[in-house]
Amino acid sequence: MEKKRGTYRLIPATNHYTKEMKQLVFDVLEEYGLKPGAIDFCLDDVEKHYFERGGYFVVILDQNGVVVGTGGIYPLDGRSLELRKMYLRSEHRGKGLGQWMLTLLLEKAKILGFQRVELDTASVLKEAIGLYKKNGFQRFESDHMVARCDQAYELLL
């Protein structure tokens, strides 16, 4: 399912984009002083770790077909899933692309029958936290937060 917005395309990710997805995620983490970790192994094979598990992963491509955004939903159980790896290159922020991607991922979560979305984030990711709050996410106490994160949010669908 391809979506278009101006010169951008949002498409389901494939392993064809592995190198670009990993580079984007690691670059954004570095931009905010965060370190890649063991949790990032899922980027090595999004087809296996997302689609085959009943989740979904997307990339946003610019007019040249370069990956400028990533995001996925990862099933935790039959009711809940986790929003993961939602990142945009700095020069593409502030254009509504994050909202576009989040809206599509939340719609997909509903279509797949999930009732709850959770996410871990770091307080330095202020723009992302603002986006999550604007979309109704509320803080909660997670029992499985990854090391680079210090906040968890949830949204009931």
Side-chain angles (χ1 to χ4, degrees):
M1 159 178 54
E2 179 176 317
K3 302 279 186 180
K4 290 187 177 186
R5 181 184 176 117
T7 60
Y8 294 96
R9 291 184 304 134
L10 188 148
I11 62 170
T14 67
N15 289 338
H16 169 79
Y17 296 105
T18 297
K19 184 177 178 182
E20 283 186 85
M21 290 186 298
K22 288 176 73 172
Q23 191 64 58
L24 181 149
V25 170
F26 295 172
D27 287 350
V28 174
L29 289 172
E30 184 178 302
E31 173 187 348
Y32 285 92
L34 302 170
K35 301 277 186 231
I39 190 67
D40 299 310
F41 75 93
C42 62
L43 292 169
D44 290 327
D45 190 343
V46 294
E47 293 171 20
K48 175 183 175 187
H49 294 292
Y50 287 86
F51 293 98
E52 290 179 19
R53 287 183 49 92
Y56 199 65
F57 202 93
V58 297
V59 292
I60 296 177
L61 306 175
D62 69 7
Q63 67 274 12
N64 299 315
V66 174
V67 174
V68 299
T70 63
I73 49 176
Y74 182 89
L76 298 172
D77 56 41
R79 179 181 171 272
S80 298
L81 52 74
E82 186 173 13
L83 180 68
R84 289 186 170 182
K85 309 294 184 235
M86 196 166 144
Y87 294 103
L88 283 169
R89 290 219 173 268
S90 61
E91 61 271 24
H92 299 277
R93 294 182 203 139
K95 300 177 179 185
L97 299 176
Q99 181 65 60
W100 184 41
M101 180 168 33
L102 180 60
T103 298
L104 181 130
L105 290 171
L106 294 177
E107 288 172 359
K108 188 68 173 180
K110 288 177 189 174
I111 290 168
L112 293 172
F114 291 95
Q115 301 165 2
R116 182 177 164 275
V117 180
E118 68 179 67
L119 63 92
D120 297 344
T121 191
S123 55
V124 296
L125 299 169
K126 294 182 185 347
E127 301 96 331
I129 292 168
L131 177 66
Y132 302 140
K133 287 180 176 179
K134 179 179 138 189
N135 283 274
F137 282 83
Q138 302 287 321
R139 291 236 2 213
F140 86 106
E141 292 298 319
S142 174
D143 59 0
H144 60 272
M145 205 171 331
V146 299
R148 68 178 173 236
C149 295
D150 59 8
Q151 298 180 29
Y153 289 82
E154 69 178 344
L155 175 69
L156 301 179
L157 299 174

